[in-house]
Amino acid sequence: MEENKEAIREFYATCAFPKEGKKKKKKKKQNGWKGKAHRRCRYTGRTCAERHELFYGSGKHQISIDLGFQVDLCPPIHRLFHGIVGKADLEALNVPGMFPDPKKWAAKEVEELRQGCQESWEAKQTELGITPEEARARWIELIGRSYL
Ligand SMILES: [Zn+2]
């Protein structure tokens, strides 16, 4: 018995694989920048879009990545979503409704995208068997407020 224990210990000491059940440090997910070349902007259809996380602040950026609360945007629109208005670049995109006030347009889009995230997340939760009220409470716990 004791011999056996020793053999197991030695096995794990030299084994290249981590011991079963031993907690591996959880690797943070990246936001998927590697697939960038094929990614298309939601508004222009242009490729090489950048992935934008829809919730941020106090851990919510990582939650956005883990749960896919993201939108793909071409660089000028991505900058706009971060509050930077490159007027000439944005005008050239000809996105309906963006002008005369691109920031206002972006704010409305973000609101709708967040609502969509909440709707589908809550729907998934209720499919798993909890009530809509519980799903709402869990969403608020997760993100901090309801968008619906
Ligand atoms: Zn972003």
Side-chain angles (χ1 to χ4, degrees):
M1 193 63 186
E2 202 52 44
E3 221 178 74
N4 202 14
K5 263 191 191 166
E6 187 57 45
I8 290 167
R9 207 175 296 134
E10 199 179 304
F11 171 74
Y12 281 119
T14 54
C15 180
F17 302 100
K19 190 173 175 178
E20 228 178 290
K22 194 178 169 186
K23 254 198 175 167
K24 253 175 46 181
K25 198 172 170 226
K26 199 175 169 236
K27 202 173 169 242
K28 279 192 175 178
K29 273 190 204 168
Q30 299 290 332
N31 83 339
W33 56 270
K34 279 178 181 166
K36 193 180 169 204
H38 307 288
R39 203 177 294 146
R40 287 179 180 277
C41 173
R42 174 184 177 87
Y43 300 101
T44 64
R46 290 183 174 192
T47 55
C48 293
E50 298 163 353
R51 190 151 281 174
H52 175 71
E53 278 70 53
L54 287 162
F55 303 92
Y56 33 85
S58 59
K60 290 200 281 288
H61 183 258
Q62 189 61 41
I63 290 170
S64 292
I65 294 173
D66 290 343
L67 298 178
F69 300 151
Q70 295 161 310
V71 60
D72 294 341
L73 306 168
C74 61
I77 297 180
H78 192 192
R79 286 195 289 275
L80 173 62
F81 271 47
H82 283 271
I84 301 155
V85 182
K87 198 166 180 272
D89 288 341
L90 290 171
E91 269 173 343
L93 300 174
N94 281 315
V95 175
M98 185 187 278
F99 281 88
D101 192 342
K103 277 194 180 178
K104 197 175 162 194
W105 173 85
K108 186 176 155 279
E109 289 299 322
V110 168
E111 188 72 11
E112 284 175 13
L113 289 165
R114 287 174 172 170
Q115 286 170 351
C117 289
Q118 184 176 349
E119 254 164 21
S120 53
W121 188 88
E122 287 184 0
K124 245 182 266 168
Q125 298 301 304
T126 51
E127 271 168 37
L128 295 172
I130 66 167
T131 67
E133 292 74 22
E134 282 173 326
R136 177 63 47 89
R138 285 187 195 184
W139 169 269
I140 291 169
E141 209 173 292
L142 185 71
I143 297 298
R145 58 160 277 203
S146 173
Y147 291 85
L148 298 173

